Each structure stands twice: as C-alpha cells, then as structure tokens.
C-alpha cells in the first residue's frame, strides 16, 4: 500500500516562510510528476506547483517568484519552499504523485498565514 507523507505545515505571519515536504513510500514506483495543490475553505482545489522526475517545473501565477518546488528523486520526496507568504496562501496543501500506473494523494497539511 503506497502512501504520501506530508509535513511542514503550520502558522506563519505574513511575509514569513514555510517548507513543506512530501515523501512517497517505497512501494510507490515510477513517479513521473509530483505536485502540490491547495484548497481553501469554500474554494476548489487548485494546482500550486509541479515538477517532473527530470526537473521541469511549473507554477500557478499567484505563487510565481515566491514558491519553489524541488525534488529528491532518490528519496522520492518533493518539497515546496514558500516565501513571502500572504494571507491568501492559507489553505490545506495536498501532495500528489503521478506514476505510470496510478495517482496518489496525500492527506493534506494546513498552512495558515495570519498576523
């Protein structure tokens, strides 16, 4: 049974930083893309950032220049460095792994940006 383990969420003041991590269990293989989504109360889940196994990245316009996605393929781990956080970044952040065979979702980690 594969699983994605997320960590790094929490409460931070506007302008602050957080680093999220998501580790795929060893049973999850052939990961083509890992990504971060977020969902705020009353809103649809949206793509924040994604990265391929080769290192190609893409970002939502709202986070470009502030967030950085990276990965460690050997550890099957993806990170999201979030800088210059804004209150509108407040949401539950979900990790996603797209493999050749299946799509896996993490359980989500809460990020709250508030003074």
């Amino acid at each position: 049974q594969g699983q994605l383990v997320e960590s790094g969420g929490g409460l931070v003041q506007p302008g602050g930083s957080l680093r999220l991590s998501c580790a795929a269990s060893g049973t999850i293989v052939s990961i083509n893309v890992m990504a971060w989504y977020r969902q705020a109360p009353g809103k649809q889940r949206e793509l924040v950032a994604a990265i391929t196994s080769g290192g190609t990245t893409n970002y939502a316009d709202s986070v470009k220049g502030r967030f950085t996605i990276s990965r460690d393929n050997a550890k099957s781990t993806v990170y999201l460095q979030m800088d210059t956080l804004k209150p509108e970044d407040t949401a539950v952040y979900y990790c996603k792994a797209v493999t050749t065979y299946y799509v896996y979702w993490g359980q989500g980690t809460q990020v709250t940006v508030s003074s």
Side-chain angles (χ1 to χ4, degrees):
Q1 53 179 9
Q3 63 177 317
L4 302 178
V5 180
E6 304 173 22
S7 63
L11 174 65
V12 65
Q13 295 185 9
S17 298
L18 285 174
R19 187 193 188 206
L20 306 182
S21 65
C22 173
S25 70
T27 60
I28 299 178
V29 298
S30 301
I31 299 175
N32 299 312
V33 179
M34 297 193 78
W36 290 97
Y37 287 72
R38 67 186 181 188
Q39 187 167 25
K43 299 185 66 177
Q44 296 184 141
R45 187 173 299 187
E46 64 175 348
L47 176 67
V48 177
I51 186 168
T52 70
S53 59
T56 301
T57 61
N58 72 85
Y59 298 90
D61 288 341
S62 60
V63 306
K64 285 183 178 178
R66 300 189 298 118
F67 291 11
T68 303
I69 189 170
S70 61
R71 85 285 179 241
D72 184 334
N73 289 337
K75 297 181 178 180
S76 297
T77 301
V78 64
Y79 306 92
L80 185 66
Q81 178 66 43
M82 304 184 292
D83 298 319
T84 318
L85 283 161
K86 304 175 180 179
E88 49 263 47
D89 295 318
T90 296
V92 177
Y93 284 70
Y94 297 90
C95 179
K96 178 184 180 181
V98 181
T99 75
T100 303
Y101 315 103
Y102 200 68
V103 177
Y104 300 85
W105 286 93
Q107 294 301 304
T109 184
Q110 177 70 48
V111 172
T112 301
V113 184
S114 176
S115 60

